[in-house]
Amino acid sequence: MKILNIKFRRTKKVYPFFVDDGHTYLKGDYVIVETIRGDQIGVVLGETEKYDEDLIDEDISKIRGVKRKLLPIEIDKLSSLDEKAYKAYFVCKKIVREKLPEMNLVIGEYTFDENKLIFYFTAESRLDFRELVKEVNKTFKKRVEFYQIKPNDEGRILSAFGKYGKELYW
């Protein structure tokens, strides 16, 4: 059993996932992985050397698996999925301005099966966005989830740049 580092496309976070030895994944391959939020698309960064066999046996329940590699047709679908999420972001941004102006909507993404729309936001404090969720669900007619992220996560997602044009990583 191997452990791969997988980077999520939109949030750019990196997590370990296990894969059976019978499958070969190369750096840059698009894969579907199972997460708490459903099936998500990630990019293989490579095999990790952080885990040894003893740790894998203890932590195997915490590490989820890679389901499969994306087919070329499915990779082509990613750009249309991103375009739909981009349009949904601006529709939701307009609703957020009316219902909850203290929320800063950062980015939106669809799950691969398009059953769920996920929005990430930042805010100075906790927000009660139940009315917002009702309005957004009515608009998109599908399950919509909101996740609050830290301001430094916002910089990573939006590919912020610091001194001398270097990309910032947190």
Side-chain angles (χ1 to χ4, degrees):
M1 185 178 314
K2 293 187 276 188
I3 304 289
L4 297 177
N5 283 328
I6 306 289
K7 180 172 87 171
F8 290 106
R9 292 177 53 245
R10 304 297 278 178
T11 61
K12 299 180 183 173
K13 284 199 170 200
V14 178
Y15 292 103
F17 289 87
F18 72 85
V19 63
D20 295 329
D21 290 331
H23 295 81
T24 304
Y25 296 98
L26 302 173
K27 183 178 180 177
D29 283 347
Y30 286 96
V31 293
I32 295 179
V33 293
E34 56 181 274
T35 67
I36 297 170
R37 299 177 183 151
D39 290 348
Q40 295 281 349
I41 301 164
V43 180
V44 175
L45 295 180
E47 194 171 337
T48 184
E49 296 167 11
K50 181 180 172 184
Y51 294 95
D52 61 6
E53 292 299 323
D54 298 330
L55 288 176
I56 290 174
D57 292 337
E58 293 174 14
D59 293 339
I60 197 69
S61 62
K62 297 177 186 173
I63 300 175
R64 296 178 183 255
V66 174
K67 284 192 164 185
R68 64 180 176 85
K69 191 186 296 190
L70 287 181
L71 302 171
I73 289 176
E74 294 171 326
I75 293 172
D76 294 339
K77 177 186 172 186
L78 294 180
S79 60
S80 68
L81 204 61
D82 288 345
E83 190 174 314
K84 283 178 69 173
Y86 187 71
K87 290 177 183 175
Y89 167 80
F90 285 106
V91 171
C92 186
K93 185 95 171 163
K94 187 185 289 184
I95 297 169
V96 166
R97 274 195 208 124
E98 295 170 8
K99 298 280 183 191
L100 207 59
E102 57 270 10
M103 177 187 278
N104 176 30
L105 204 60
V106 176
I107 198 166
E109 72 174 332
Y110 275 99
T111 55
F112 186 66
D113 56 8
E114 296 184 42
N115 286 337
K116 194 186 306 182
L117 184 56
I118 302 171
F119 289 106
Y120 299 93
F121 70 93
T122 59
E124 293 293 322
S125 60
R126 291 182 54 90
L127 302 174
D128 181 14
F129 48 87
R130 289 178 283 194
E131 291 299 318
L132 173 68
V133 170
K134 288 178 190 174
E135 184 69 28
V136 171
N137 280 336
K138 193 170 30 170
T139 302
F140 292 108
K141 295 180 177 60
K142 60 180 66 218
R143 185 181 170 114
V144 178
E145 294 179 358
F146 287 88
Y147 290 100
Q148 186 168 2
I149 59 174
K150 298 174 189 170
N152 59 351
D153 291 334
E154 178 182 12
R156 183 184 59 250
I157 290 171
L158 299 177
S159 296
F161 291 90
K163 284 187 173 180
Y164 311 112
K166 290 190 175 186
E167 190 169 3
L168 298 177
Y169 295 100
W170 285 274

